[in-house]
Amino acid sequence: MQKTLWSTLLVGACVLTAGAALAETTLTVSSYGGGYQEAQDKAYFAPFAAAHPEITIRQDSPSSNAKLKAMVESGAVDWDIMVTDDSFGLDSDAEWLEPIDYTIVNRDKFIPGTAGTYRIASDIEATVLAYNAAEFSTAPQGYKDFFDLEKFPGMRAVWKYAPSGIFETALLADGVPADKLYPLDVERALKKLDTIKDHIVWWDTGAQSEQLLDSGEASMGLVWVGRAVSGAEQGIKIDWTQWTSQTGFWVVPKGTKNREAAMKALEFFTEPAQQIAFTQYMPYGPSNKTAVAGVSETFKGNLPTDHLDNRVLMDADWWAKNGADVDMRFQEWLLE
């Protein structure tokens, strides 16, 4: 009887030990919520948890650069991984971030320019020239047509945000080569924008941009690719002649207690199978260059990575240094 009792206790102890091992690490990942985070869960988080039963993923939202900074500065870091945009994760943000551990994450797999010291790309997004096909007998081709009110009449929907790509768009339409954009000639860009200023309707949210095109209030717009794609049933089309880059990035807050597990997760999230799975749910391209050719058919043709040769790369470092001054001038121009 004693032997049976000890055997029972031993089995119970093994079960408890195994259970403890399964729950020994919890990674908290913060993202943007909504359909975007749901897609990440299906493509990244759930498969990672299945492959690594010793790690539990807890999700949070929304992501916030300011909240991450506050966590680090207070020494109370609750997040292990966060999704951010082009404006954060630069070398100038080093005090808040862990360097990406490239002994765990394979740096060579990324599309050039998407793997930095403190961030790696989660997906490739875009601001695109979208138009209401019912408004024109011929399709616009490039930013020059965006500014051609005679050939392509109507209102233009534009994001009311200085680093939205509108300055780059204006300069490209005015003949500046893409590789000569920076430093931006702000006054030249505003002079070009003056030519369509009375025909601009500004938007502040993605939903507004889509509604402006769907309703016909704007015949053409510079909008996020996800919004352009979702308007396809209403006759909204995309001109991929030129587009400005928008990128989602993974960062790891400085001081996380789960640094190694976070790096393993980032390596997993950016592998081809996971990146391809993500394109089933969202019209954003993979950051893994070997995944580009294998994307899902769901949005193929309207993924930014289907048109990399026409991408206009925005200089996030330049904007980080000059954005405040440019925005001040932009706000002045809006009131002129």
Side-chain angles (χ1 to χ4, degrees), residues 42-274:
K42 293 174 184 175
Y44 306 150
F45 307 154
F48 178 79
H52 297 274
E54 76 282 6
I55 300 175
T56 298
I57 287 189
R58 185 179 76 86
Q59 297 183 50
D60 198 3
S61 66
S63 290
S64 166
N65 298 340
K67 186 173 181 179
L68 182 149
K69 291 178 181 180
M71 285 182 181
V72 174
E73 289 169 359
S74 68
V77 179
D78 295 328
W79 293 344
D80 300 298
I81 299 171
M82 187 187 81
V83 168
T84 188
D85 60 15
D86 296 89
S87 68
F88 191 59
L90 306 169
D91 288 355
S92 56
D93 300 315
E95 63 185 290
W96 298 293
L97 301 172
E98 294 285 347
I100 301 299
D101 187 344
Y102 287 113
T103 66
I104 297 174
V105 179
N106 177 12
R107 189 170 194 163
D108 294 335
K109 67 183 176 182
F110 292 94
I111 290 172
T114 63
T117 304
Y118 298 98
R119 66 183 187 179
I120 55 172
S122 57
D123 53 78
I124 308 300
E125 303 167 21
T127 296
V128 297
L129 193 166
Y131 61 97
N132 191 320
E135 299 288 329
F136 308 123
S137 57
T138 58
Q141 294 185 332
Y143 294 147
K144 285 188 177 181
D145 286 348
F146 187 80
F147 283 82
D148 190 338
L149 295 173
E150 183 175 346
K151 187 176 179 181
F152 298 96
M155 299 298 287
R156 302 318 197 229
V158 179
W159 189 7
K160 199 175 185 179
Y161 179 58
S164 67
I166 186 60
F167 283 87
E168 289 83 350
T169 298
L171 292 171
L172 289 162
D174 204 39
V176 178
D179 61 351
K180 303 293 184 183
L181 279 172
Y182 298 95
L184 294 180
D185 187 334
V186 173
E187 295 306 317
R188 180 175 175 177
L190 292 175
K191 185 176 180 180
K192 184 66 175 178
L193 285 167
D194 279 333
T195 65
I196 63 167
K197 188 174 185 179
D198 293 340
H199 290 79
I200 293 176
V201 55
W202 300 102
W203 57 267
D204 296 301
T205 68
Q208 287 178 340
S209 70
E210 187 176 346
Q211 177 60 29
L212 288 169
L213 289 171
D214 289 350
S215 67
E217 184 176 346
S219 60
M220 200 182 300
L222 299 173
V223 304
W224 302 329
V225 64
R227 291 295 177 173
V229 168
S230 65
E233 291 184 2
Q234 285 71 47
I236 306 306
K237 294 188 176 181
I238 300 173
D239 169 46
W240 284 102
T241 303
Q242 294 166 299
W243 57 278
T244 52
S245 62
Q246 305 287 333
T247 308
F249 286 98
W250 297 114
V251 294
V252 176
K254 180 169 283 189
T256 171
K257 297 176 182 177
N258 300 308
R259 178 183 172 279
E260 184 174 348
M263 297 300 168
K264 288 180 179 178
L266 295 187
E267 168 65 7
F268 184 91
F269 297 167
T270 52
E271 282 293 272
Q274 284 65 249

